[in-house]
Amino acid sequence: AQKITQTQPGMFVQEKEAVTLDCTYDTSDPSYGLFWYKQPSSGEMIFLIYQGSYDQQNATEGRYSLNFQKARKSANLVISASQLGDSAMYFCAMSPHSGYSTLTFGKGTMLLVSP
Amino acid sequence: EADIYQTPRYLVIGTGKKITLECSQTMGHDKMYWYQQDPGMELHLIHYSYGVNSTEKGDLSSESTVSRIRTEHFPLTLESARPSHTSQYLCASSESRGIGNSPLHFGNGTRLTVT
């Protein structure tokens, strides 16, 4: 079974600053994928970034980067140059690369970006 | 680029009514999912399907049922709604390629209130 832990219920950051959202995970699967999703107040879930457990380099997508530390089982999301539109809930999730896998989500972190 | 559609967006209904939440996707994805999410909380998988005529129960016990008669359509039905069913229901789909590394594409969700 997989478990995702997000220990920050809420984070505050000023516009244009960088922010790191923490995510640790636990799994016995040798191969897996890690995902981050953004959920604005409107409710839809938006896929941000993916990291495979065997990827040698940390994933990046525009202003988003994933700080993957396999030995520590952490997959923190870094948002550079925060914008007001980044205010939302952020969910970390994982899925094993085996069998008929499904996605397990963490409890989420609410990010508020102030002017 | 919403290629996965959920209707209705909001639903307020009385106890004991039968309801069906609709979900359709135009991406040709084999895999489809239903997640339940209480406000500000994590997502819990309640049903999933890996193709036509294939349905499975998820991690969270649910009194709802699903069907998958067509690839693009994955409706969720509650035979007798109760106040405890009040929640947001999110439908998602993903490609079959590379188990574990295909991101989920979500619909906008249905916010259900049972009075």
Side-chain angles (χ1 to χ4, degrees), chain A residues 35-75:
Chain A
F35 303 79
W36 276 92
Y37 284 84
K38 171 185 178 181
Q39 187 178 43
S41 57
S42 50
E44 73 268 31
M45 294 285 285
I46 303 167
F47 166 68
L48 297 178
I49 195 167
Y50 163 82
Q51 176 83 46
S53 59
Y54 283 102
D55 291 343
Q56 295 297 317
Q57 293 189 326
N58 287 344
T60 60
E61 288 287 346
R63 294 185 299 111
Y64 304 108
S65 61
L66 202 152
N67 183 3
F68 180 48
Q69 298 186 47
K70 193 171 183 178
R72 301 174 77 173
K73 293 190 174 180
S74 73

Side-chain angles (χ1 to χ4, degrees), chain A residues 32-35 37 39-47 50 89 91 95-108, chain B residues 9-10 31 33 35 37-38 40-45 48 50 59 88 90 98-109 111:
Chain A
Y32 47 88
L34 295 153
F35 303 79
Y37 284 84
Q39 187 178 43
S41 57
S42 50
E44 73 268 31
M45 294 285 285
I46 303 167
F47 166 68
Y50 163 82
M89 280 287 283
F91 291 94
S95 179
H97 284 184
S98 61
Y100 290 98
S101 56
T102 58
L103 210 57
T104 300
F105 286 85
K107 292 183 182 295
Chain B
R9 183 78 175 89
Y10 300 94
K31 298 179 180 179
Y33 313 82
Y35 283 87
Q37 183 188 28
D38 292 331
M41 304 295 287
E42 69 264 48
L43 282 72
H44 292 286
L45 181 67
Y48 60 99
Y50 284 119
D59 306 320
Q88 170 161 256
L90 289 159
I99 293 169
N101 64 5
S102 301
L104 269 60
H105 300 264
F106 282 86
N108 286 337
R111 297 195 182 191

Side-chain angles (χ1 to χ4, degrees), chain B:
Chain B
E1 49 170 271
D3 297 317
I4 180 163
Y5 306 94
Q6 289 187 245
T7 58
R9 183 78 175 89
Y10 300 94
L11 179 62
V12 180
I13 201 163
T15 298
K17 299 291 187 182
K18 177 180 179 179
I19 58 171
T20 296
L21 308 185
E22 300 289 347
C23 177
S24 295
Q25 50 96 5
T26 60
M27 296 171 282
H29 288 168
D30 288 329
K31 298 179 180 179
M32 295 190 74
Y33 313 82
W34 277 102
Y35 283 87
Q36 184 175 341
Q37 183 188 28
D38 292 331
M41 304 295 287
E42 69 264 48
L43 282 72
H44 292 286
L45 181 67
I46 51 175
H47 296 284
Y48 60 99
S49 166
Y50 284 119
V52 172
N53 295 325
S54 152
T55 61
E56 299 288 343
K57 288 187 179 295
D59 306 320
L60 183 68
S61 174
S62 173
E63 294 163 342
S64 58
T65 59
V66 292
S67 62
R68 189 89 183 275
I69 299 173
R70 304 197 315 267
T71 297
E72 62 271 22
H73 194 214
F74 192 41
L76 181 143
T77 298
L78 278 165
E79 290 293 332
S80 179
R82 295 209 303 265
S84 61
H85 295 140
T86 296
S87 190
Q88 170 161 256
Y89 294 83
L90 289 159
C91 180
S93 70
S94 67
E95 297 180 37
S96 292
R97 66 168 174 84
I99 293 169
N101 64 5
S102 301
L104 269 60
H105 300 264
F106 282 86
N108 286 337
T110 293
R111 297 195 182 191
L112 173 66
T113 302
V114 183
T115 61

